[in-house]
């Protein structure tokens, strides 16, 4: 099998940068280092093209659809020699290879043309390239379908809630009267013995991730933070991610960007969470109205938010229906893990010549 330098089979090129102010609400999609970032009426590529992030988020590889603009912080692999290389094979190879060894700069990481041109690419026969890319495309399609299925399941809970409680004919009550509303706090990192325990310390980045929190605090750390019980609703009420929310999987501490509601006897945890989810747009609107620079919804305003509370027997029926959805989600996550493992295995085998 021959190996060639990337610069011998294409022309890596950075096109002029379109700033955020120049972006439109619709038109040709604009792709940057992290993927699609907006729209424009301009065009750089009328054919499907590989792009590699070369500033900031260096090394991310995208297969950009025809009719797009590739912005200057991504390197477009133009003028591909399709007599030697299959486009999708090259895309898959570069995805697997990575670009850590060609990134330069410390304060501003970047990939320059001279370095990316020297990247080696193994080239089996075209027929073999197409066979490999077809196998990997099929495995990737399976992963995509699994993710789509999980995404749809994540919307089912709100649909059930709206169906059961959308026309609830009762007077709303403020959150303050329905449970304990708490604003979080971060333990002092300068003090020893605060972090590294087994109590989740939730930050806005953890909300809605489906994964366990990235940091944990000790019992002493939790005393310096705020602690709420499992099932409490956690809502980001400050910053760019205002309105992001989740349920505490177990007793958890959380930082000062989050307000939590530990529900009282009249509100079941699942019902309370979905009732607050229905208020997300209101939370975002009121938070942005409070400041022109930093969106914030203070605890004093947050606890004034009102929800309609159904009879607890009806809330319990909702939780039972939701439990069935969660079982399907758990099965779907396991299936996605298997699909990811299959794809990774096929990648390794394909580029070692073992398929």
């Amino acid at each position: 099998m021959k190996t060639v330098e990337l610069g011998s089979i294409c022309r890596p090129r950075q096109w002029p940068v379109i700033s955020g102010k120049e972006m439109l609400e619709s038109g040709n999609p604009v792709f940057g280092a992290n993927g699609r970032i907006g729209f424009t009426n301009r065009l750089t590529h009328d054919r499907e093209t590989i792009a590699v992030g070369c500033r900031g988020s260096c090394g991310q590889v995208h297969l950009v659809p025809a009719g797009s603009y590739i912005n200057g912080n991504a390197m477009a692999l133009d003028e591909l020699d399709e007599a030697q290389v299959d486009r999708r094979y090259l895309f898959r190879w570069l995805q697997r290879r990575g670009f850590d060894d060609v990134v330069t700069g410390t304060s501003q990481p970047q990939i320059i043309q001279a370095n990316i041109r020297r990247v080696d690419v193994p080239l089996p026969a075209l027929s073999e390239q197409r066979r490999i890319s077809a196998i990997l495309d099929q495995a990737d399609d399976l992963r995509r379908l699994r993710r789509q299925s999980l995404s749809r399941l994540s919307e089912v809970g709100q649909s059930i809630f709206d169906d059961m409680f959308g026309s609830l004919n009762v007077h709303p009550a403020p959150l303050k009267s329905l449970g304990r509303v708490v604003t979080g706090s971060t333990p002092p990192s300068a003090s020893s013995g605060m972090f590294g325990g087994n109590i989740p310390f939730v930050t806005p980045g953890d909300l809605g991730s489906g994964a366990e929190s990235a940091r944990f605090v000790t019992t002493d750390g939790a005393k310096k933070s705020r602690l709420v019980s499992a099932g409490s609703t956690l809502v980001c009420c400050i910053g760019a991610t205002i309105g992001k929310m989740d349920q505490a999987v177990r007793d958890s501490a959380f930082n000062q960007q989050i307000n939590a509601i530990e529900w009282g006897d009249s509100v079941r945890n699942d019902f309370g969470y979905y009732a607050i989810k229905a208020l997300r747009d209101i939370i975002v609107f009121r938070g942005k109205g409070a400041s022109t620079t930093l969106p914030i919804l203070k605890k004093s305003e947050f606890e004034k938010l009102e929800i309609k509370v159904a009879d607890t027997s009806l809330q319990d029926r909702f939780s039972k229906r939701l439990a069935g959805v969660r079982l399907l989600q758990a099965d779907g996550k396991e299936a996605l893990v298997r699909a990811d493992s299959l794809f990774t295995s096929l990648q390794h085998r394909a580029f070692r010549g073992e398929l």
Side-chain angles (χ1 to χ4, degrees), residues 23-291:
M23 299 286 183
L24 305 176
E25 293 185 1
S26 61
N28 300 320
V30 180
F31 284 80
N34 289 314
R36 195 180 74 183
I37 56 175
F39 298 92
T40 182
N41 56 10
R42 296 156 66 182
L43 183 70
T44 57
H45 294 82
D46 57 8
R47 298 187 64 192
E48 187 178 64
T49 304
I50 299 169
V52 180
C54 61
R55 290 179 187 161
S57 298
C58 291
Q60 290 199 32
V61 187
H62 308 281
L63 196 59
V64 177
S68 299
Y69 191 102
I70 298 179
N71 220 14
N73 58 353
M75 194 86 68
L77 304 188
D78 292 347
E79 300 176 25
L80 188 66
D81 184 356
E82 296 184 78
Q84 293 193 70
V85 62
D86 176 74
R87 189 182 312 275
R88 300 188 75 86
Y89 167 85
L90 180 61
F91 167 65
R92 296 298 183 189
W93 163 253
L94 295 176
Q95 266 192 323
R96 176 182 178 273
R97 181 195 186 279
F99 292 87
D100 290 347
D101 58 332
V102 296
V103 175
T104 58
T106 52
S107 59
Q108 178 64 36
Q110 64 176 340
I111 297 175
I112 61 174
Q113 288 188 21
N115 287 347
I116 199 171
R117 287 179 62 88
R118 290 197 292 268
V119 168
D120 286 334
V121 180
L123 289 185
L126 264 176
S127 58
E128 179 64 7
Q129 293 179 40
R130 289 170 183 147
R131 188 181 75 86
I132 289 171
S133 64
I135 292 171
L136 294 178
D137 283 350
Q138 289 175 8
D140 207 15
D141 283 345
L142 177 60
R143 298 197 303 171
R144 178 179 53 80
L145 291 171
R146 294 297 188 193
R147 290 193 181 93
Q148 287 179 350
S149 177
L150 279 172
S151 178
R152 293 191 182 102
L153 278 173
S154 69
E155 300 168 0
V156 170
Q158 195 67 50
S159 296
I160 296 173
F161 181 88
D162 293 341
D163 180 58
M164 292 183 67
F165 307 112
S167 57
L168 197 61
N169 187 23
V170 296
H171 290 295
L175 298 183
K176 186 176 183 179
S177 69
L178 300 172
R180 184 172 73 104
V181 179
V182 188
T183 300
S185 177
T186 299
S189 56
S191 300
S192 62
M194 296 289 105
F195 289 91
N198 59 6
I199 300 171
F201 180 70
V202 182
T203 65
D206 300 314
L207 299 177
S209 68
E212 200 164 36
S213 58
R215 302 176 75 188
F216 293 80
V217 294
T218 62
T219 301
D220 288 340
K223 290 176 182 177
K224 295 290 185 180
S225 180
R226 300 287 188 275
L227 195 66
V228 291
S229 59
S232 298
T233 298
L234 306 171
V235 185
C236 178
C237 287
I238 182 171
T241 55
I242 186 170
K244 199 175 178 184
M245 63 188 72
D246 212 335
Q247 283 181 284
V249 176
R250 51 194 176 101
D251 293 1
S252 301
F254 48 102
N255 78 353
Q256 60 275 11
Q257 291 175 270
I258 295 173
N259 284 325
I261 314 105
E262 197 172 50
W263 300 103
D265 293 339
S266 65
V267 180
R268 302 294 192 253
N269 290 332
D270 290 331
F271 177 88
Y273 172 66
Y274 278 92
I276 295 296
K277 278 191 75 175
L279 299 181
R280 182 188 176 279
D281 290 345
I282 294 174
I283 292 170
V284 173
F285 176 77
R286 292 188 183 179
K288 289 183 176 179
S291 171

Side-chain angles (χ1 to χ4, degrees), residues 146 150 328-341:
R146 294 297 188 193
L150 279 172
L328 291 174
Q329 287 177 315
D331 290 343
K333 288 176 182 178
E334 289 181 7
L336 179 57
V337 169
R338 291 195 296 271
D340 284 339
S341 296

